Amino acid sequence: MKANINQIIFKVGEVMRRVLIVIFLSLLLSGCSTQEDNQTSKDNHELLENKNFIKKVQGHWVNASEKDMYLGLDDGIEHIGIINGQLLSKAEYEVTEVNLMEQYIIIHGFSMDISYDEESMSEEFISKLYLVDDGEQLIYVYDYLDKKVESTWTR
C-alpha cells in the first residue's frame, strides 16, 4: 500500500511538473507575440502617419511667383500647366522617402514635357518636396541631387 501511495505521489508530481512547464512556455510565448504585436502596431502607426503626410503634400498648388501656373500632385502622377490652359508637363513618380521631422518627401520619377508639335523625351528626376507654413506652402526642389531647381507653391 505504501508503494502505491509513493507511486501516486510520484505520478502527481510528474503531472504537476509538466503542467508547470506548459504554463511557463505559454507565458514565454505570449510575451514574445506581445512584443511582435507591439512592433507591428508601431510599424502600422508609422505607415499611417507617412500616408497622411503624403496626402497633405498631394493636391492642387499654385506657383507663388507665376500665379497662372499650377502643380497637381496625385497618387503617383504630377501635372504642371497653365490654370484654365495648356498642360506643360506630366510625370509619373513614386515616393521613396518620407521625413516627418523635417516635413519633406522625396519622389523619383520620369517627366515628359507636353509638346503638341514635336516628340518629347522622358527625363528621370529625383525631387524633394517640403511642406512649410503648416502645410500652406510647398517648396519643390526639382532634381535636388543635380540641377536643384527650386520653386514655391501655395494652396
Side-chain angles (χ1 to χ4, degrees):
M1 179 85 155
K2 203 173 195 185
N4 285 341
I5 292 177
N6 283 340
Q7 286 177 342
I8 293 172
I9 292 173
F10 177 76
K11 287 188 180 199
V12 169
E14 194 61 28
V15 169
M16 292 295 284
R17 185 176 71 81
R18 288 183 184 173
V19 168
L20 288 174
I21 289 173
V22 169
I23 291 172
F24 174 74
L25 289 175
S26 65
L27 287 173
L28 184 64
L29 290 175
S30 69
C32 290
S33 61
T34 300
Q35 289 173 346
E36 289 173 6
D37 291 344
N38 287 343
Q39 184 62 41
T40 301
S41 178
K42 182 180 175 185
D43 291 345
N44 287 342
H45 179 72
E46 186 175 317
L47 183 62
L48 183 61
E49 282 185 329
N50 287 349
K51 283 183 177 182
N52 286 337
F53 181 72
I54 291 169
K55 286 185 187 279
K56 286 182 183 178
V57 173
Q58 293 175 336
H60 189 83
W61 298 90
V62 176
N63 190 286
S65 59
E66 298 179 44
K67 302 286 187 202
D68 62 338
M69 298 277 299
Y70 75 88
L71 166 67
L73 294 169
D74 297 314
D75 287 328
I77 303 291
E78 170 189 286
H79 297 95
I80 297 176
I82 309 288
I83 295 174
N84 298 322
Q86 182 177 355
L87 179 64
L88 301 175
S89 72
K90 182 178 181 179
E92 292 184 9
Y93 70 88
E94 65 179 27
V95 177
T96 59
E97 183 180 335
V98 177
N99 188 316
L100 297 173
M101 293 296 289
E102 295 185 33
Q103 295 284 286
Y104 71 78
I105 64 170
I106 294 179
I107 60 174
H108 173 242
F110 293 89
S111 68
M112 182 179 291
D113 291 339
I114 305 298
S115 177
Y116 297 98
D117 55 352
E118 61 187 63
E119 190 174 323
S120 38
M121 300 292 291
S122 180
E123 182 178 337
E124 184 175 16
F125 67 93
I126 299 175
S127 296
K128 190 180 260 189
L129 290 72
Y130 293 91
L131 272 185
V132 294
D133 293 335
D134 293 323
E136 293 301 311
Q137 279 195 335
L138 175 77
I139 298 174
Y140 190 116
V141 184
Y142 179 79
D143 199 16
Y144 86 101
L145 296 174
D146 187 27
K147 295 177 185 175
K148 298 179 179 149
V149 177
E150 188 174 306
S151 57
T152 303
W153 304 81
T154 59
R155 289 263 182 214

